[in-house]
Amino acid sequence: MRLSLITLKKRPDSDDVSRRETLLDGDSFRVGRGSDMDVNLPDVSVAYHHATLTIVPGGVKLEGVGGAPIEAGGKAQADVVLRPGETVRIGPFEIGCEAKPEHSDGAVTVQQVEVAATTHRSPQRIADVLPSRRRLSWVLVLAALVAFLAWPLSTILLRTAPDPSSVVVNAMVAPQKAADRAGTIDTLVAYVKSETEGGEKPAAPVYTPMESWWLSGPMSNVHAGLAENCSACHLRPFEMTTNSACLACHAETKQHIDVASHADAANAPELARCGACHKEHVGGESPIEEASAVCTDCHGDLKAVLPATTLYDVTDFALQHPQFRPTLVTGVGTNVDGTLQPTVERAPLDPKFPLVEQSGLKFPHDVHLNKDGVRGLGRVADKTFDMNCQTCHVSQADGELMRPIEMERDCGYCHELVFQPDNIDVLRELPHAKPVEVQEIVHDYYSARVLEGGLNVPGAPADSARRRPGQVMSLAARSEGLEWASQQAELELKRIMEVSLCGDCHVAQAAAEPDSRGRTVWTVQGALLQRHWMPKAWFDHGPHFAMDCVSCHAATTSKSATDVLMPPIENCRDCHKGEQAGASASSECLACHEFHVDRLQNWSPPHGSAMVERRNAAERTTVARTTQ
Amino acid sequence: MSAHVSFLAHERFRWFKRSGWLCLLVIVAYSAYAPIGGRNGGTWVGYGLGGLGALIILWLSWLGVKKRGFAAGATTIRGWTSAHVYLGLSLIVIATLHSGFEFGWNVHTLAYALMMAVILSGAFGVFAYVRYPRMMSENMSGQSVAGLRREMSELDARLARLSQRLPDSFADQVKIALEARMGGGFFQLLSGSSRRCPAARARDAARVLADGLTDAEQQASATEMLAAFSRKAEIAARLRRDLSFKAMMDVWLWIHVPMTLALIATLTAHVFIVFFYW
């Protein structure tokens, strides 16, 4: 049989199709990829021998070899009979049947209808597989601006600034739980509702979670409650925090100097802000700056900023700090009315030139701190007492000052003010610090003894000594007796004042002129005990508990109360080695000096230099009080 | 001076030196100034460092835009690139000292982190531009991508032709080899791996098949086919490596550019916030 094989080829760039006819002879014809096939279909998707073609009446028949598929009408089939005009597909080739031509028994057409895909084009560049950088950038920019700026700002601008008093209250109230507060969306919904349905407009949210992203650093512990209440301190946008925000809570804060004049003096107005020294958003316990630089920035060379100053420069406790200058009584004068007027001065503790304090007290510390014990006096003269510093000096609760010495409590056990002439049984206790009363008591005693008679004292008037009870005393005898009693009292008083009782510890002076009754006027100088030696500093005995008192206060060798037992700065520097020293006890300014001193006024009208006067007055008052 | 000078060494490291001096100046200023409350962005030196850093960031961003449009000669572009790289690196010092080493979960630290992401991605870019061009030319060994692609299509045609003389099992391998692709997804592009290259697999399979052939003519065809498979595998591997080098030189820009824009937005927020709540 003869087959007409017509190869159709579409010309590129046109619709023309060329026909090339080949005549094949045989019973059946092999169709496939193989180069030795009758009908060669050169494509790898076609099997080597894909199908066998035979001519059948009215057309051709294609039988797949070994199950090779022939695609007819979109379905894969094992064998197909093609009538003229029908087509099937094998791989990229279309096989068609044409009407039987005259010169052969059948005709098939073969046309490659699709070009075998060579290589698939995969993404070649990173730009083909990633989203556009421009779009990505816009998304990120918008996300950042909305999340970090617009969202928090919307609530900040909507809400009204709190009034200062509510800030104080708010600062003490724990912040509302995040879950309990209305968020931005809740507020918006409520706002739209109030617009459409009427009713009250919602309050702006107090705080959005995104606002916490604005915190430039952690709050200090004491201000942690304000972390969600930015406007408590930041009262107005684009304005540094003002003192009024701080003083809303800290109105009671005391001041060491007038901050405004401080700023003027340094010609640095920014120093008048609380924030000049107190830095928040840096964590820590409180925004109190411990570093000495806060003070030494100016005080290291104070004349440079304040030429008129009388203050000494301080750069570092160990390197440059003036010697301690205790406040002490350097002299005592007497006022016109007879009261004592102490002279109070500050003087440096120079070991070469020991200070002398005129407290008026006679008190040898060494005797009272005798290792072998201290012999008692008067009724306890047969006993020996072990005394130490704490026997008299007890630290106050604040640790700073010692409890004031009280004669009756601290000295009176041994130093009893007992007036007991030899031959009477009943002793009389004399009042402390009341010389006039003492004189009266002593005079009264002798007068009474003379008048009651039976006085067994050598040299006593005979009438007073031998008169029997009940006998009336003659006027002459009475006068003579009282004269004698007065002399005796004066003698006794001289002894009491100068030697035995008062004179034991105090200096007593007899006035040049007797009083109207002819009696000597005695003045006993009260002990002007210094209570606060260094009032410009603050010393806590508490942390120093492990040290012996005498390691700072040389009491065991002090023979006189005129010794000033305050330690000089060198003692402190043994441990407080300065801020720059590695192993050192704290040496910052604030370790001893407070800026806001409790004893002083509230943060109130400026007082500047007047403060020094006030302090001096306060010191005098303290001294005067201990004098009485 | 040689025709090719790396942008890193431009004008005898002029920008390296300038940036170095800038860093030194900044370090000295930071060390010398010990303000109350510790060193941080809220002090005068802090404001100064922050302003300097922000200006550099904006300028470098502007350079990034401008650089693309330069019509000027290679020298100028090289100079700007050099400045961009060294000033960008100096930002690490400036911004870190601006922060005073205070970091937290806040928008301020976010800006810092974004800046570091931009700088580090940029540093990778520098690394890529120094390393990959040489590797690319080594990889191509004097040939062009277009030439290799043309050769590959010729190989494909030859394989199709050879398959006509060989049994179906070979045609199957040819089919597999035709599937060989260059490029692909993100990770394929970056790795440039040819570990599962279809051409190589086809070659290995065809080698086994060829041992089973008896016909001398077919054996000759099979030998020819094996050679074509091998060559195709080799070309494919080269082209993949080439794509991977190009991808490496590009990919960092997807961090560098969007992060720069995000940084500018966050920086704006940062500056606004610190002065809003001064």
Side-chain angles (χ1 to χ4, degrees), chain A residues 220 222 277-279 283 285-291 294 590 596, chain B residues 36:
Chain A
S220 61
V222 293
C277 297
H278 299 287
K279 301 291 180 188
E285 177 56 33
S286 79
I288 294 175
E289 176 58 39
E290 300 278 345
V294 181
L590 287 186
H596 302 291
Chain B
I36 295 164

Side-chain angles (χ1 to χ4, degrees), chain B residues 141-209:
Chain B
S141 51
Q143 284 165 293
S144 70
V145 173
L148 286 180
R149 283 200 177 276
R150 212 175 308 120
E151 188 182 344
M152 191 176 261
S153 336
E154 283 162 16
L155 284 171
D156 283 346
R158 188 191 302 170
L159 284 169
R161 211 164 54 242
L162 288 169
S163 74
Q164 293 181 43
R165 299 190 214 139
L166 289 164
D168 285 345
S169 51
F170 284 88
D172 290 341
Q173 298 310 320
V174 173
K175 260 190 270 182
I176 289 170
L178 285 179
E179 294 290 313
R181 276 168 213 193
M182 274 60 67
F186 179 73
F187 294 106
Q188 171 58 38
L189 267 177
L190 279 186
S191 72
S193 159
S194 294
R195 206 159 50 86
R196 293 160 56 82
C197 175
R201 277 192 288 141
R203 177 195 59 207
D204 297 341
R207 188 172 288 143
V208 177
L209 292 171

Side-chain angles (χ1 to χ4, degrees), chain A residues 33-35 40 42 44-45 47-48 118-127 129-133 136-137 140-141 144-145 148-149 153 156-157 159 211 213-216 230 234 236-241 276-277 279 281-282 289 294, chain B residues 36-38 40 47 102 105-108 110 149 152 156 160 163-168 171 174-175 178-186 189-190 232 243 247 250-251 253-254 257-259 261-262 265-266 269 272-273 275-278:
Chain A
R33 185 187 75 244
S35 51
N40 178 229
V44 285
S45 60
Y48 193 86
T118 45
T119 31
H120 293 282
R121 207 54 190 173
S122 301
Q124 301 290 293
R125 295 178 312 142
I126 213 87
V129 293
L130 290 178
S132 131
R133 290 202 295 266
L136 214 54
S137 302
L140 289 176
V141 164
L145 289 180
F148 302 125
L149 212 52
L153 207 55
I156 291 165
L157 295 180
R159 69 186 173 219
E211 243 176 298
W213 276 70
W214 282 30
L215 276 177
S216 63
C230 310
H234 301 280
R236 283 168 290 277
F238 304 110
E239 185 185 86
M240 280 182 158
T241 49
C277 297
K279 301 291 180 188
H281 295 294
V282 287
E289 176 58 39
V294 181
Chain B
I36 295 164
N40 60 45
Y47 289 141
E102 283 184 4
W105 294 105
N106 54 45
V107 67
H108 317 286
L110 177 70
R149 283 200 177 276
M152 191 176 261
D156 283 346
S163 74
Q164 293 181 43
R165 299 190 214 139
L166 289 164
D168 285 345
V174 173
K175 260 190 270 182
L178 285 179
E179 294 290 313
R181 276 168 213 193
M182 274 60 67
F186 179 73
L189 267 177
L190 279 186
K232 173 158 181 164
L243 288 178
D250 272 0
V251 70
L253 282 170
W254 266 262
V257 175
M259 287 298 171
L261 272 296
T266 315
F272 177 85
I273 290 163
F275 290 112
F276 184 86
Y277 277 162
W278 204 357

Side-chain angles (χ1 to χ4, degrees), chain A residues 536-558:
Chain A
K536 291 181 190 293
W538 195 91
F539 179 85
D540 189 352
H541 281 94
H544 298 83
F545 72 96
M547 300 176 69
D548 285 335
C549 305
V550 294
S551 63
C552 292
H553 305 284
T556 44
T557 55
S558 168

